Amino acid sequence: MFDRFARVLFRLPLDRALDYRIAPDMEPEIGSRVQVKLNNREEIGIVCEMTDTAESDRVLDIEAVLDPLPVVTKDQIELADRLADYYICGPGEGLFKMFPSPPVSFQTTSSRNFKIPDIEAAPAPSPRHTLNQEQSAIYQEIKKNHKAGRMHLLHGITGSGKTEVYIHLMRDALLEGRGALLLVPEIALTVQMIQRLQEVFGSAIALLHSGLPAKERFLNYLSVIQKKRRLVVGTRSAIFAPVDALKYIIIDEEHDSSYRENSAPRYDARLLARWIANSRDAMIIAGSATPRLESRRACQTHPELFHYHSISGRAAGSLPQVQVLQAPTNQNPISGQLITEIEKNLKNGQQTILLLNRRGYQPFIYCDNCASTIKCPRCSVTLHFHKPDILLCHYCAYNARNDGTCPQCGGKTKATGTGVQRLEEFLASRFLDARIERVDTDTSKGGKNLQDSLHRFFRKELDILMGTQMIAKGLDAPDVTLVGVLQADQGLMLSDYRAQERTFSLLMQVAGRAGRGQFQGRVIIEALNPEHSVIHMAAAQDYARFYDAELRLRSATNYPPFCRLLRFLIRSPDQEYAEQKIDELAELLESTLASESDALEILGPAPAPIERIHDQYRMHILVKTRSYERIRPALRAMLESFRPGLRKGHLEFEPDPQDVV
Ligand SMILES: [Zn+2]
Ligand SMILES: [Zn+2]
């Protein structure tokens, strides 16, 4: 009898699969997880191919087949190859991000008929709402223009009724025996949209996000891979869901930075959506009130592929009135005018949202005696004061008790500025009877459930909802008539080329929360520099003007979308080592790209804007190029030869980085 072999991929930076012998009594399938030995260690891998010949003579046996069913499809394995090629990583590293980790019971079951619970017959989907004229025209145009890989950009302010268009398209896909995928930034903030979808589609929808218990999430995933469900709603990683006969990939709030993965390989779900749509005869529907610059521009430069649709009308309510005020320069957290407006709202029984994108009680601790701010001992950033008495680093979570003395000179320290904790305290003392709730990453860590807070707000059990940028997304509460944004321009001080775009987008989003019901909404934006043009354009809700201005700036400074940006970052606990290695890398880059006319510019090497995080010194190089595709093979070869020599540090390579801090 001939031997059979399986090619196995690992969650490791290996550039290819390794061969293992399949025992005669074993029947792994392509896509099954297997247990094997690799360098004398037990590892879990995924079978990506079967073969009759092994590439080497010394081949080990597969020790166990872990799953009775494949956990990934051939399409996903192909996608992993493409991902590895683009992000210059191992195919296994991407593949292992494509499915939720199976619960223990699934791993140990030897039965081949592991079953997912039967799905109740979905009620005949009925959209219930009819589309208005504008929505209907867009819907018809999307239907008429089906072509693989095409993208339709729905540019409409919050509340313009994009969800109803999504629902109609998903229903059509289902009726044709095809499937659809809807991506949202965060499930907890999309409660209402999901309720609406479940009303229409019932249990035909598979939810995929990290907030679900592991078993439920995995079973939902299984129901998709087994073709029992064709509709998926989820966050970033749901882009990998193996939806059968996929017809639409819908990306709501397409500008949201959560579509970018935050550990290597740092894939962008929006880019993957384009690859998937192309290879699987699907189309992309992307919706946003503030589309990314590159998405909006693609509609102008490549109209045959990227279709632009503007939804102007607000399905309910009218546009809010926006006012920009000078932020108080004394110790008051908010201006007198905003206090008056909150009072008015409380008296009228209407709800208020306050956004302050700053965690903790006070953001600065300084010592008068030696004239310094108190920094994190592990990072090159200042510590924040959190109540009751902790100094916390927002980058590495270092914390120490605040005993009021300076670690440098022993002098007395003072805290200054306002974070959300201090704002909450101020509001509570000012509005004694108001029901106030704060949401930020600290309150959700403290066990308070974000979803619960939001539900209570929707049920009108709260008067004021306040917090960090979490509250700017997706929230649709009709009785909110006042939105206040504090320290609106703080994001503009970051040294990052996307800082303006992010600030504009955040302000537009949060302003869109006001006045969605029958009452007129008011928005008050407080800024240290109220004259800043980005603040003004956001206040005027003028995307077109912002788009033109920002595009001119990017063109003049040669930043995306006018070039491709590539980032190489070396981090090491040894500063000299990091500096020496980044210099070596810079030289290599120079010589690698010397013959490439498409390599426009090499910036650096230089310390990253945040030079040290968690005791790691960070040095980086940015490359601006016209075509990443053309220089990628050379870069891959260069990185493969460089990486093994990097013994005391790490190299992070990132094409199209989300930020460069
Ligand atoms: Zn001091
Ligand atoms: Zn730190």
Side-chain angles (χ1 to χ4, degrees), residues 375-383 392-398 612-615:
K375 289 214 164 86
C376 173
R378 304 196 294 220
C379 310
S380 54
V381 298
T382 56
L383 292 172
L392 182 70
C393 171
H394 287 180
Y395 281 85
C396 75
Y398 166 88
R612 191 167 55 112
I613 295 180
H614 214 151
D615 279 331

Side-chain angles (χ1 to χ4, degrees), residues 495-537:
S495 57
D496 187 37
Y497 77 96
R498 281 188 206 267
Q500 302 213 110
E501 188 178 3
R502 265 199 291 268
T503 297
F504 177 80
S505 176
L506 178 65
L507 294 180
M508 285 276 285
Q509 301 292 329
V510 71
R513 307 293 146 219
R516 308 189 61 174
Q518 50 177 325
F519 301 107
Q520 169 79 45
R522 291 114 66 215
V523 177
I524 291 182
I525 296 175
E526 293 187 0
L528 283 173
N529 177 11
E531 299 308 317
H532 197 292
S533 62
V534 170
I535 304 283
H536 269 270
M537 291 184 278

Side-chain angles (χ1 to χ4, degrees), residues 391-580:
L391 297 181
L392 182 70
C393 171
H394 287 180
Y395 281 85
C396 75
Y398 166 88
N399 60 82
R401 214 174 65 78
N402 179 28
D403 58 7
T405 56
C406 169
Q408 300 287 331
C409 72
K412 249 175 111 65
T413 58
K414 278 186 206 151
T416 179
T418 299
V420 280
Q421 279 186 329
R422 178 159 182 253
L423 177 63
E424 183 185 28
E425 197 180 276
F426 174 84
L427 294 170
S429 68
R430 184 74 213 218
F431 307 111
L432 294 174
D433 298 327
R435 298 161 300 173
I436 303 167
E437 190 125 316
R438 169 168 69 90
V439 290
D440 56 36
T441 43
D442 299 309
T443 58
S444 29
K445 263 183 234 141
K448 208 160 54 165
N449 190 323
L450 173 62
Q451 216 149 321
D452 284 349
S453 303
L454 296 179
H455 274 304
R456 291 173 50 215
F457 192 62
F458 298 142
R459 287 199 304 262
K460 297 199 74 178
E461 291 166 25
L462 298 172
D463 301 308
I464 301 175
L465 184 70
M466 53 158 297
T468 53
Q469 60 178 333
M470 275 188 179
I471 61 170
K473 300 178 187 177
L475 206 60
D476 188 0
D479 290 308
V480 174
T481 51
L482 175 63
V483 167
V485 187
L486 311 177
Q487 303 173 25
D489 47 354
Q490 57 156 312
L492 293 171
M493 319 203 174
L494 290 174
S495 57
D496 187 37
Y497 77 96
R498 281 188 206 267
Q500 302 213 110
E501 188 178 3
R502 265 199 291 268
T503 297
F504 177 80
S505 176
L506 178 65
L507 294 180
M508 285 276 285
Q509 301 292 329
V510 71
R513 307 293 146 219
R516 308 189 61 174
Q518 50 177 325
F519 301 107
Q520 169 79 45
R522 291 114 66 215
V523 177
I524 291 182
I525 296 175
E526 293 187 0
L528 283 173
N529 177 11
E531 299 308 317
H532 197 292
S533 62
V534 170
I535 304 283
H536 269 270
M537 291 184 278
Q541 307 264 295
D542 195 344
Y543 176 86
R545 197 151 68 88
F546 172 78
Y547 172 76
D548 286 339
E550 185 68 15
L551 213 56
R552 271 201 304 277
L553 181 69
R554 300 272 183 95
S555 167
T557 51
N558 189 32
Y559 267 99
F562 296 95
C563 71
R564 300 293 299 276
L565 204 58
L566 313 173
R567 187 193 206 196
F568 301 80
L569 184 136
I570 289 181
R571 53 184 166 84
S572 167
D574 181 338
Q575 185 172 14
E576 250 173 68
Y577 183 81
E579 284 169 1
Q580 177 204 330

